[in-house]
């Protein structure tokens, strides 16, 4: 397998934007290419999406480990656990698991920080983990442990009518719909 390289492109909108390509697609001069396993990389914590079995993320977890050279941990959430997320206690249980894993990985990190990757509703849940407002009596304040959040297909602009939650779940409603601002 060809080595993966990273080249940062400067732009007015995002001076830190980078794109990644494989050597077989494009060769970069050595002055512009760096391997992804550079010392600034940190452990990765991955939270999958709604009703997707944890084993589905196995290949992604392995590839991220290979590319980064860092530990990659998947927060295991079963389909049964995801189906209970219509109740706030189920969100809190998953967030508690995220918090425990984040603390463990941050302790292994040279920088004391980790990267979060969330797929679909996992990305929404990770945003709630980073918040400093209380949720179900807990304040996660995950931003103390995290300096990067990558979201893959997370529904940031959910349509309130098609995803309306009943009024007993206003906290969850806020977590989902505050992203529409």
């Amino acid at each position: 397998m060809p080595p993966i390289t990273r080249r940062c492109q400067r732009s007015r909108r995002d001076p830190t934007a980078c794109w990644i390509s494989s050597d077989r697609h494009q060769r970069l001069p050595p002055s512009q290419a760096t391997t992804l396993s550079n010392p600034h990389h940190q452990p990765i914590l991955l939270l999958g999406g709604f009703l997707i079995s944890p084993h589905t993320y196995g290949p992604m977890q392995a590839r991220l480990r290979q590319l980064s050279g860092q530990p990659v941990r998947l927060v295991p959430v079963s389909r049964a656990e995801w189906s209970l997320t219509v109740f706030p206690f189920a969100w809190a249980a998953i967030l508690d698991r995220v918090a425990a894993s984040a603390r463990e990985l941050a302790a292994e990190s040279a920088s004391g920080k980790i990267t979060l990757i969330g797929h679909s509703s996992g990305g929404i849940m990770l945003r709630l983990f980073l918040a400093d407002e209380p949720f179900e009596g807990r304040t996660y304040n995950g931003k103390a442990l995290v300096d990067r959040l990558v979201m893959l297909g997370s529904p940031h602009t959910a349509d309130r009518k098609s995803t309306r939650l009943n009024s007993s779940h206003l906290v969850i409603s806020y977590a989902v719909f505050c992203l529409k601002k």
Side-chain angles (χ1 to χ4, degrees):
M1 179 167 282
I4 302 297
T5 57
R6 182 178 70 171
R7 178 180 174 207
C8 293
Q9 294 180 321
R10 301 200 192 288
S11 74
R12 288 184 206 139
R13 292 180 71 182
D14 185 3
T16 62
C18 294
W19 55 269
I20 298 172
S21 70
S22 168
D23 268 0
R24 67 184 157 159
H25 298 296
Q26 179 172 357
R27 291 218 176 260
L28 300 174
S31 63
Q32 294 178 335
T34 60
T35 65
L36 284 176
S37 59
N38 75 40
H40 301 291
H41 283 245
Q42 54 204 18
I44 298 169
L45 184 61
L46 175 62
L47 180 60
F50 183 71
L51 295 179
I52 300 176
S53 297
H55 75 273
T56 305
Y57 293 97
M60 180 182 186
Q61 184 179 12
R63 184 72 169 144
L64 286 168
R65 188 178 297 118
Q66 177 190 21
L67 293 174
S68 70
Q70 298 294 320
V72 178
R73 185 174 301 166
L74 175 65
V75 178
V77 182
S78 70
R79 287 182 178 182
E81 290 169 310
W82 275 118
S83 67
L84 291 173
T85 58
V86 295
F87 303 106
F89 75 84
W91 282 59
I94 294 170
L95 288 168
D96 289 344
R97 201 173 303 158
V98 168
S101 294
R103 281 191 300 274
E104 290 171 14
L105 280 176
E108 298 174 21
S109 174
S111 67
K113 302 277 188 171
I114 65 169
T115 295
L116 294 176
I117 299 177
H119 172 240
S120 191
S121 58
I124 299 301
M125 207 166 274
L126 291 176
R127 284 187 67 160
L128 188 56
F129 171 70
L130 295 175
D132 51 6
E133 289 105 25
F135 178 78
E136 286 295 294
R138 300 167 182 87
T139 302
Y140 294 99
N141 199 17
K143 61 187 169 205
L145 302 172
V146 176
D147 68 358
R148 234 177 257 137
L149 172 62
V150 178
M151 303 172 93
L152 308 171
S154 296
H156 298 295
T157 57
D159 179 7
R160 289 178 190 247
K161 292 175 184 165
S162 64
T163 58
R164 186 173 302 278
L165 299 170
N166 73 38
S167 61
S168 66
H169 304 323
L170 290 176
V171 176
I172 291 176
S173 180
Y174 171 75
V176 174
F177 299 120
C178 72
L179 305 175
K180 198 167 183 164
K181 289 183 181 177

